[in-house]
Amino acid sequence: MSPKSFSLLLVLSALWGASFLFMRVGAPEFGPVSLIFIRMGVGVLALLPFFVSQKLLGCIAHNAKPLLILGLTNHVIPFVALSYAALSLESGFTSLINSTTPVFTALIAALFFASTIKPSQGAGLVIAIIGVAILSADKMSFGSQGTGWAVAAGLLAATSYGFAGNYTKHALGHLSATEITVGSMLASTGMLIIPGMAFWPASNPSGQAWASALLLAVASTGIAFIIYFKIMKESSAFMVSNVTLLVPIFAISWGIFLLDESLSLRLVAGMIVTLLGTALTLKLIPFRRTVAKPST
């Protein structure tokens, strides 16, 4: 990866890490559904001037059904679930739960898409599960004051992303990254119009909430995807996968410096274990089985 691409990777990680901060600030006033309606609607408007063309729109219309399914599973469900989680969970914690997405991607691929889990991925699955257990050991109360449902929502988001990743490969492999992203964002915006307006807050959100919502849409969605496309063009999907490990680090840092969130020993331990499992699942860390040599 060139220095330029690496710099862009850091910027992308910072923007996607900041999305958890923006959700943490915006979700309490907008509500999870309306906030994501703004995110997708304004985000796709920020993308269209760079990519819109008659050919692109025709391709999206021709693949409307699979793009609707992808929009539901890659944007609507996970984004709303993460916004719901942000109502009661710190941004860094939510980002770590979300970082298990590659684990669920590998698991769903093995269960439903006839894929094989390699030894490194199997080890990563186990380690990541241990990491999530460490992170959420004191948060799994489902009572009125508990955060168990928020943790479950974060895991639902990761599971939905896992399905979407496999579905994209099998149903939309013939489309470019631009066609897939713009098409799925348009589809998700259409799905969110009615519920987004139905759940619109009765009182106008504060300026801080509006700023968070617009930054979430423009910076962490529109601009972030433009950078994502550029990295993909200049580097490779493998290198972009490093974002999965970098985003939680930025999210935790944003939360500490801007929201006064705490950095506990449990969070640090859970982060190390969870990201180690994710790295193994992504095959970012070499993993070799020891094979006994036959005696001579």
Side-chain angles (χ1 to χ4, degrees):
M1 176 178 281
S2 67
K4 178 181 178 182
S5 293
F6 181 72
S7 299
L8 288 174
L9 183 69
L10 291 178
V11 173
L12 178 63
S13 302
L15 290 174
W16 277 347
S19 69
F20 294 92
L21 179 147
F22 298 143
M23 287 188 287
R24 180 73 167 150
V25 175
E29 295 191 46
F30 279 100
V33 177
S34 294
L35 178 64
I36 300 309
F37 168 54
I38 295 173
R39 176 176 190 175
M40 300 314 302
V42 177
V44 77
L45 289 176
L47 274 177
L48 285 177
F50 293 91
F51 300 110
V52 69
S53 67
Q54 186 174 356
K55 179 183 177 181
L56 173 64
L57 296 178
C59 180
I60 291 173
H62 184 69
N63 294 276
K65 183 178 178 180
L67 286 171
L68 281 168
I69 295 173
L70 183 62
L72 177 66
T73 58
N74 198 57
H75 299 311
V76 176
I77 293 175
F79 284 176
V80 171
L82 289 172
S83 291
Y84 171 78
L87 293 173
S88 52
L89 297 177
E90 293 183 340
S91 55
F93 181 93
T94 308
S95 71
L96 284 170
I97 294 294
N98 187 60
S99 73
T100 61
T101 293
V103 174
F104 286 98
T105 302
L107 187 59
I108 290 172
L111 292 175
F112 302 106
F113 291 91
S115 181
T116 302
I117 295 181
K118 293 179 169 52
S120 64
Q121 293 178 305
L125 289 171
V126 174
I127 293 172
I129 290 171
I130 294 173
V132 172
I134 293 172
L135 286 168
S136 57
D138 62 339
K139 297 180 180 293
M140 291 306 292
S141 171
F142 290 89
S144 58
Q145 301 300 316
T147 56
W149 290 114
V151 174
L155 292 173
L156 171 63
T159 304
S160 187
Y161 279 136
F163 171 84
N166 284 288
Y167 182 79
T168 300
K169 179 179 178 180
H170 286 79
L172 292 165
H174 59 289
L175 299 184
S176 68
T178 303
E179 292 164 343
I180 291 172
T181 301
V182 175
S184 62
M185 287 180 67
L186 281 171
S188 60
T189 301
M191 285 184 276
L192 284 165
I193 291 176
I194 294 177
M197 298 307 296
F199 287 97
W200 195 262
S203 57
N204 189 38
S206 65
Q208 185 180 38
W210 269 107
S212 295
L214 293 176
L215 284 170
L216 177 65
V218 176
S220 295
T221 306
I223 294 175
F225 273 118
I226 293 172
I227 295 174
Y228 172 80
F229 292 143
K230 190 170 183 62
I231 297 174
M232 285 286 287
K233 183 177 180 180
E234 296 182 357
S235 185
S236 66
F238 173 77
M239 297 308 298
V240 175
S241 65
N242 286 279
V243 166
T244 306
L245 305 181
L246 294 172
V247 165
I249 296 173
F250 279 99
I252 291 171
S253 300
W254 290 125
I256 291 172
F257 290 110
L258 297 179
L259 297 179
D260 293 324
E261 294 181 348
S262 59
L263 184 64
S264 65
L265 181 61
R266 182 191 296 275
L267 182 66
V268 173
M271 176 179 68
I272 293 172
V273 176
T274 301
L275 295 185
L276 174 61
T278 301
L280 284 168
T281 304
L282 285 168
K283 296 183 284 187
L284 296 176
I285 299 177
F287 183 90
R288 297 178 180 176
R289 290 180 297 177
T290 301
V291 179
K293 295 182 179 180
S295 59
T296 58

